[in-house]
Amino acid sequence: MTRRYRLSHLTDRDKADSILAAACQVEGVKEITISDDLREMDIVAEADDLSFAMDKIVNICRNVSYDCEIQYLFP
């Protein structure tokens, strides 16, 4: 299952790369990408693992970039 999220207050590509590196290690995450403009994030994970994975990814984002916010983009 793929979900798209809007990112705000992520201002640095190095921080985005740090988020990606840590998020790839989260159980259940198959793939994660952040757009070049640092405004969108796509996550591929099993439907059963997505809630657990997102809890971890939100914490990772806040630890790397304190002001970073994540919002689900409804299709």
Side-chain angles (χ1 to χ4, degrees):
M1 168 179 263
T2 301
R3 292 246 174 122
R4 179 166 283 179
Y5 295 87
R6 175 177 293 131
L7 296 173
S8 57
H9 306 292
L10 183 60
T11 58
D12 187 330
R13 188 70 214 180
D14 289 334
K15 290 180 182 179
D17 290 341
S18 295
I19 290 170
L20 290 174
C24 285
Q25 303 301 316
V26 173
E27 184 178 336
V29 174
K30 294 181 178 181
E31 182 181 343
I32 184 167
T33 58
I34 295 177
S35 64
D36 291 334
D37 65 0
L38 307 177
R39 293 183 182 207
E40 292 183 358
M41 176 172 57
D42 291 330
I43 298 173
V44 178
E46 293 294 327
D48 296 341
D49 296 330
L50 197 55
S51 179
F52 170 79
M54 282 311 300
D55 286 343
K56 297 289 185 184
I57 292 170
V58 166
N59 287 333
I60 290 167
C61 289
R62 290 212 175 131
N63 285 336
V64 172
S65 180
Y66 178 74
D67 292 336
C68 184
E69 295 179 5
I70 301 173
Q71 294 177 321
Y72 177 65
L73 289 174
F74 292 96

